[in-house]
């Protein structure tokens, strides 16, 4: 590895961490949220090489990290961590009560996978299907946006630094992800 390559990797690592620290300080996130965000970024950075090997033609590590920092900086206003003993149905009801686009609020279990999914789901650049396809608009909007969120969160869901595997997700999510991946292939990403 060349000297410039080593320093460029250190620069990316230090740069995103410093920027993230400034954003977290400005937003007043709790220490638990800060630690979870840093852990999530660490996992994204570590898993990227395996991710890139399997997902040929994907974005660079810097682009992936920059996108997440942008989501946290521009779209996210607050992050609320819920107790792990709280039933998933109750958490889903709380999530449905908020308008993510307006409130910018993330409700997450205290684990990196749930947090990355919720942050990607919060992003402002969402797919919007034209109203000329009236009968399919809601279904396609949901399919494309949830599929994109699942695809983006795949970096820490399926790549753990040791192996590539698929964790068990709800059956509906599996079909959404499969359909989204097929659409990407048909449309050439």
């Amino acid at each position: 590895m060349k000297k410039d390559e080593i320093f460029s990797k250190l620069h990316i690592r230090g740069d995103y961490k410093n920027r993230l620290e400034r954003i977290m300080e400005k937003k007043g996130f709790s220490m638990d949220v800060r630690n979870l965000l840093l852990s999530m970024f660490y996992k994204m950075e570590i898993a990227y090489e395996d991710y890139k090997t399997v997902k040929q033609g994907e974005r660079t590590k810097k682009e992936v990290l920059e996108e997440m920092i942008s989501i946290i900086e521009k779209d996210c206003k607050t992050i609320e961590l819920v107790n792990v003993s709280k039933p998933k149905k109750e958490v889903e009801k709380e999530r449905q009560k908020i308008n993510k686009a307006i409130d910018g609020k993330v409700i997450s279990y205290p684990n990196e996978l749930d947090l990355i999914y919720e942050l990607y789901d919060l992003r402002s650049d969402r797919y919007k299907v034209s109203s000329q396809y009236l009968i399919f608009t809601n279904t396609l909007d949901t399919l494309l946006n949830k599929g994109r969120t699942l695809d983006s969160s795949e970096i820490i869901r399926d790549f753990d630094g040791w192996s590539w595997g698929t964790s068990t997700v709800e059956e509906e999510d599996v079909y959404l992800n499969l359909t989204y991946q097929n659409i990407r292939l048909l449309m050439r990403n």
Side-chain angles (χ1 to χ4, degrees), residues 115-154:
L115 183 60
I116 195 172
Y117 180 86
E118 290 301 316
L119 284 168
Y120 274 124
D121 195 39
L122 182 67
R123 73 178 130 205
S124 58
D125 62 333
R126 301 180 66 78
Y127 291 117
K128 186 72 178 141
V129 177
S130 173
S131 59
Q132 76 183 38
Y133 304 108
L134 183 66
I135 212 167
F136 302 111
T137 301
N138 290 338
T139 304
L140 286 175
D141 276 348
T142 301
L143 168 74
L144 293 173
N145 288 307
K146 285 195 177 278
R148 182 177 177 207
T149 299
L150 284 166
D151 183 55
S152 298
S153 64
E154 178 181 48

Side-chain angles (χ1 to χ4, degrees), residues 1-10 49 61:
M1 188 177 287
K2 295 179 184 175
K3 184 177 176 181
D4 292 338
E5 290 176 23
I6 293 170
F7 288 123
S8 70
K9 290 179 188 240
L10 291 173
E49 289 306 315
K61 183 190 310 186

Side-chain angles (χ1 to χ4, degrees), residues 168-185:
T168 53
V169 291
E170 295 176 26
E171 193 167 313
E172 172 189 344
D173 291 346
V174 172
Y175 295 127
L176 277 171
N177 193 23
L178 180 63
T179 306
Y180 178 78
Q181 295 301 328
N182 286 329
I183 290 171
R184 276 188 65 193
L185 289 171

Side-chain angles (χ1 to χ4, degrees), residues 24-118:
M24 292 187 299
E25 180 100 10
K26 183 176 145 187
K27 295 196 179 260
F29 291 149
S30 72
M31 198 53 91
D32 290 337
V33 170
R34 290 177 186 205
N35 289 335
L36 190 60
L37 282 168
L38 288 171
S39 176
M40 181 188 74
F41 270 86
Y42 175 76
K43 285 186 175 186
M44 290 171 71
E45 187 176 30
I46 295 302
Y48 181 79
E49 289 306 315
D50 293 330
Y51 176 73
K52 182 180 90 174
T53 302
V54 173
K55 298 282 276 201
Q56 297 283 324
E58 284 295 315
R59 300 166 297 155
T60 65
K61 183 190 310 186
K62 186 173 183 175
E63 290 170 335
V64 170
L65 297 174
E66 287 292 329
E67 179 186 31
M68 182 53 69
I69 288 174
S70 176
I71 291 168
I72 294 168
E73 185 174 29
K74 295 176 182 165
D75 301 326
C76 180
K77 294 178 185 164
T78 61
I79 298 175
E80 178 186 325
L81 298 180
V82 296
N83 190 332
V84 290
S85 64
K86 199 170 204 177
K88 193 167 181 97
K89 287 183 181 184
E90 282 184 38
V91 174
E92 285 306 316
K93 283 181 186 177
E94 286 180 37
R95 287 176 178 159
Q96 289 173 359
K97 287 180 187 176
I98 60 173
N99 182 338
K100 286 186 179 185
I102 295 171
D103 299 334
K105 183 177 183 177
V106 170
I107 299 173
S108 173
Y109 283 106
N111 66 60
E112 295 86 357
L113 184 55
D114 198 50
L115 183 60
I116 195 172
Y117 180 86
E118 290 301 316

